[in-house]
Structures are given as structure tokens and as C-alpha cells.
Amino acid sequence: MKDLFLVTGGARLNGAVKVSGAKNSVLKLMAAALLAEGTTTLHNCPEILDVPLMRDVLVGLGCEVEIDGQTVHITTPAELTSDADFDAVRQFRASVCVLGPLTARCGRAKVALPGGDAIGSRPLDMHQSGLEKMGATTMIEHGCVVAQADSLKGAHISLGFPSVGATENILTAAVLAEGVTTLDNAAREPEIVDLCELLIQMGAKIEGAGSNTITITGVDKLHPAEHSVVGDRIVAGTWAYAAAMTQGDITVGGIAPKNLHLPLEKLKYAGAEVETYEQGFRVRMTKRAKAVDYQTLPFPGFPTDLQPMSIGLAAVAEGTSVITENVFESRFRFVDEMQRLGADASVDGHHVVLRGREGLSSTDVWSSDIRAGAGLVLAALCADGTTRVHDVFHIDRGYPNFVEDLRKLGADIERIQE
Ligand code: UD1
């Protein structure tokens, strides 16, 4: 039986919330624990389904994993299994991040291909060519990507696009390769910096994390470490847009505001008052938002994962906004659902034009992915009457305690079974 949310619009959200660690970091950090024999401990882990799913992948590879609330202990043996369990891996796309560590530790890795999903096709060509530059052979075989290398050697790798996943797999292979790897056009996301911080604590030699060029000098061996996961900037950004859309006042803790610089700047253009603190920020909106244009880009650009929230705000803003998606080709599928809620939106290729309306109107909508689902809930908070948001299992994968936090902020939302 699937759950749905009943969301009744009208409330202005007010209060304080704290975000936990980033989903897009914790899974990669868990995979990085494969690189060192012994027990690596991660704190501030979000309590979402993907964490136990990643535990199952690591257990299948020979690790022992203990999840104790927001702390995860991963004990990695001297000898790992190189082939990830097909069914465990197929369940979530981020599991492909075991490819780099396994190739480095075992000289071989076999991981089920994640395939496309609701936001667009997600190939692995840059992951593969990066490993190949370091001396591995890679192939696609029976629905799996297989990498093989007697030894990995440092190389000069230039990415055609600053892919987050490819940067991570290249980093986690290069830390144990022989010699120096230079990675140009690397992804600069805060989650990459977080991964590098853990790897450096484990004994890796990495320079340039957070810049376009990362230099990795391989070492013979890494040791386990203890680390706290970086705050989830996408969850924090969702709360920021919720405040602006509902003309509310929300203080968000657990996040360095520099990791959300552009989304918060955009909210200022839209008319919000934004205050920042060392580990948090406050967004207050006292009037209807003004229209603002957005284009998604790799960090430090506007995150594609907050694009549904930007569309939600544009749908109720005064004026016309143009939103351009440059990262995932099919991310506008959720615009159909926004139109069902009454948004005046027209899609043209990778642009969507929104003519803002004062309010939206309740109906039934279906979440197609984590962020689209959260965006629909925010839009439903601006609709008259009660909206039924279906397929909320997507939202559960990225937003721990979403309903509880929304209720605490004054939203009228209830979880029921279909
Ligand atoms: C990660 C995030 C996702 C976020 C995205 C961009 C996780 C679990 N997911 O996804 O939430 O939206 O970064 O910030 O961390 N590409 C190729 N070939 C490749 C690799 C990527 O063509 O080998 C393309 C993809 O199809 C996509 C673009 O590059 O169009 C960006 O993908 P990438 O940065 O790799 O995103 P993910 O790591 O999959």
C-alpha cells in the first residue's frame, strides 16, 4: 500500500528547522569507507531509506555496517568482494559510487547499470573513460559496468562536463593509484569537498577540492577515519523556497549558507529578506514574490535539484519568469503536474515560461522524483483547498521527517495510505 499526502494550502510557514547531512554526500562517504580496512564512522547521516540500501550494498561486498540513528559505522575487511549484488545496486542510482573504490581496492568492479530515470538518461561514459585513462579496461556486460585493472596509474583527465558522479569515482580510484592524477573540469559541489575531506582524513593526498582542477597523489594505503556529513543544501534550499512561496518566515540550521549562495541571492531578487549565520540562515517574505529568471548549472550555479522549487515560486510570483534546465534533459516532466495545480506554464525545449498567478488550485498530483515531489508539496501549500500528492515514496528518499517538519512550521499536511 502506497502513502499519499493531503496538503491543504493557505498557511504561512513560520519557525525553525534543522537539516541533517546531505543525501548526495552520505552515500559517497559510505562507499569511500571501502578504501580502508577497519572501521570508518560517519556522523550527521540523514535517516532516509538510501542509507540502509547502501548498507545492503556494502554488506554484500563483505563489510559490516551498523546504523545507530544518525551515526553509521562501516567495518571494511582486508579482502572485499568485487561484484556488487545486482538487486541491491539496482534499487538506487547512487550505488554506482562503489565503482571507483572497488576498482582501486580489488583491481576489479562489477556494478549494475543504474539506467535512466524520471529526470533523464544518466550515462556513465565519463566514469568509464576516467578509469580507462588510469589504465583500467571497462565494458558494459549483462546490464552491469565492469572495470578491471592490474594496477591503476595516475593520469591527466579532463571531463567534458563537470559530472558529480564521474568526479567522485575518479577521485576514489585515484587516491590509491600509482603517481599523480590531475582532474580538470572537476565538479565543485560541496559534496565533492566533503568527500575529499574524508579521503584526506583517511590519509589521501588531494589538492584543489572545490576548484576546477583537483590533483591527487596516490598513496599505498588509507586508514579508517571519523567524519561528520556536510549539511543538506537541497533540503535547506527547499525550506528557503517554502518560506518565500508561503510568505512565511523560516530559520534553517545545520547548513553553511555559502553552499546555497545563489539560491538565496535569487530569493533576495524576488523580494525576500535573507539573513545568514555561520551555520544557518533566515528567509522572511512579507509580500508576493517578484518574478525571477533561473538557469540550472553545476555548482556554484543554481542547482538542478532546486529547479522544481524555483518553478513553484515562479508559479505564484508577480510577473513572468523563464527557467532554463541545463543539467538533466527530462526534468520538466513535473511541469505537467504543476499545470494541473493551475500554474500558467509553457515548456519550449529546455526552457519553461511561467506567468505567475496569485494562487494555485488543489487537485491530485503525482511525484515523479524526490525533488519534483517536494516541489509539488510546496506548490500545494499555495493552492486553495486540499491537494492529494501521490507517490510520496520518492519524497521520503530525500527528506527525513518532511511531514513532521512541515507541521511544526504550521503547514496543514497529513500522510495517509492510498
Ligand atoms: C548528482 C546528484 C543529483 C544532482 C546531480 C547534479 C547524487 C546521488 N545525485 O547526480 O541529485 O542532480 O549530481 O548536481 O549525488 N553525464 C554524462 N556522462 C557521465 C556522467 C554524467 O553524460 O558519465 C551527464 C548526465 O546525464 C547529466 C549530467 O552529466 O546530464 C550531470 O550528471 P552528474 O553531475 O554526473 O549527476 P549525478 O552524479 O548522476
Side-chain angles (χ1 to χ4, degrees):
M1 198 109 66
K2 290 197 282 191
D3 285 0
L4 63 83
F5 293 162
L6 296 179
V7 187
T8 305
R12 295 182 166 192
L13 301 196
N14 281 299
V17 279
K18 187 170 183 293
V19 298
S20 49
K23 164 185 147 333
N24 285 353
S25 193
V26 67
L27 306 171
K28 328 301 175 62
L29 301 178
M30 289 175 76
L34 291 167
L35 288 163
E37 187 186 341
T39 304
T40 289
T41 299
L42 301 173
H43 301 287
N44 198 33
C45 298
E47 295 180 63
I48 49 170
L49 181 66
D50 283 15
V51 170
L53 289 179
M54 185 53 114
R55 172 194 57 200
D56 295 347
V57 171
L58 297 183
V59 166
L61 297 170
C63 299
E64 281 174 31
V65 182
E66 189 198 329
I67 302 174
D68 179 11
Q70 295 201 344
T71 298
V72 176
H73 306 279
I74 301 145
T75 304
T76 300
E79 297 286 327
L80 286 165
T81 306
S82 62
D83 294 12
D85 179 72
F86 193 86
D87 292 327
V89 169
R90 278 292 302 169
Q91 292 193 58
F92 67 119
R93 192 180 190 286
S95 57
V96 78
C97 63
V98 299
L99 187 65
L102 283 180
T103 310
R105 277 292 308 276
C106 309
R108 176 189 155 86
K110 185 174 176 190
V111 184
L113 275 176
D117 63 22
I119 62 175
S121 88
R122 299 178 85 168
L124 294 180
D125 53 308
M126 288 189 267
H127 303 236
Q128 288 179 258
S129 61
L131 293 176
E132 283 171 8
K133 281 255 174 164
M134 284 188 268
T137 53
T138 73
M139 67 194 102
I140 305 292
E141 201 180 70
H142 306 300
C144 295
V145 55
V146 183
Q148 208 125 17
D150 292 336
S151 68
L152 289 173
K153 293 208 168 45
H156 185 184
I157 301 166
S158 268
L159 294 180
F161 183 92
S163 153
V164 172
T167 299
E168 289 161 347
N169 268 327
I170 292 166
L171 267 169
T172 48
V175 286
L176 289 179
E178 196 188 317
V180 178
T181 298
T182 313
L183 179 57
D184 280 335
N185 203 18
R188 300 163 62 185
E189 269 67 4
E191 294 75 25
I192 299 284
V193 176
D194 202 33
L195 174 62
C196 288
E197 280 174 7
L198 172 67
L199 292 170
I200 289 167
Q201 279 190 64
M202 293 170 81
K205 293 205 170 104
I206 301 173
E207 276 170 35
S211 77
N212 289 332
T213 301
I214 306 181
T215 308
I216 308 119
T217 305
V219 296
D220 289 342
K221 216 173 168 192
L222 295 175
H223 51 78
E226 194 165 343
H227 178 79
S228 189
V229 183
V230 69
D232 197 316
R233 66 195 162 98
I234 305 302
V235 174
T238 303
W239 295 126
Y241 277 71
M245 286 172 70
T246 64
Q247 296 179 34
D249 181 355
I250 302 181
T251 299
V252 183
I255 175 85
K258 69 172 174 13
N259 292 346
L260 210 55
H261 180 74
L262 191 54
L264 293 177
E265 283 297 302
K266 291 278 182 185
L267 288 180
K268 287 188 203 165
Y269 299 145
E273 291 163 39
V274 179
E275 276 174 45
T276 55
Y277 317 112
E278 203 181 317
Q279 278 300 317
F281 60 83
R282 175 182 179 186
V283 174
R284 191 149 62 108
M285 191 69 143
T286 52
K287 52 186 182 293
R288 188 174 166 201
K290 290 191 293 256
V292 175
D293 294 340
Y294 296 85
Q295 50 172 317
T296 66
L297 284 170
F299 190 86
F302 192 86
T304 174
D305 287 351
L306 284 178
Q307 179 250 88
M309 294 51 170
S310 70
I311 290 182
L313 182 61
V316 294
E318 203 179 328
T320 300
S321 312
V322 180
I323 290 151
T324 303
E325 173 58 55
N326 293 309
V327 182
F328 287 109
E329 81 258 9
S330 307
R331 232 176 179 162
F332 282 156
R333 281 186 198 167
F334 112 104
V335 173
D336 293 348
E337 301 302 302
M338 285 295 295
Q339 285 168 332
R340 295 154 62 79
L341 279 165
D344 181 348
S346 51
V347 176
D348 182 7
H350 65 131
H351 308 287
V352 56
V353 177
L354 279 124
R355 291 179 184 83
R357 289 195 161 148
E358 241 175 276
L360 300 171
S361 80
S362 56
T363 182
D364 282 58
V365 287
W366 279 261
S367 315
S368 50
D369 69 81
I370 300 173
R371 312 302 169 188
L376 289 171
V377 171
L378 300 197
L381 291 169
C382 302
D384 64 344
T386 301
T387 296
R388 293 156 63 90
V389 182
H390 300 267
D391 290 347
V392 299
F393 60 89
H394 288 294
I395 305 173
D396 291 338
R397 294 187 73 163
Y399 291 85
N401 307 316
F402 196 46
V403 170
E404 294 75 6
D405 282 344
L406 277 166
R407 288 170 81 116
K408 209 169 74 183
L409 294 170
D412 185 344
I413 178 168
E414 200 184 332
R415 176 193 287 270
I416 60 165
Q417 289 190 332
E418 290 268 8

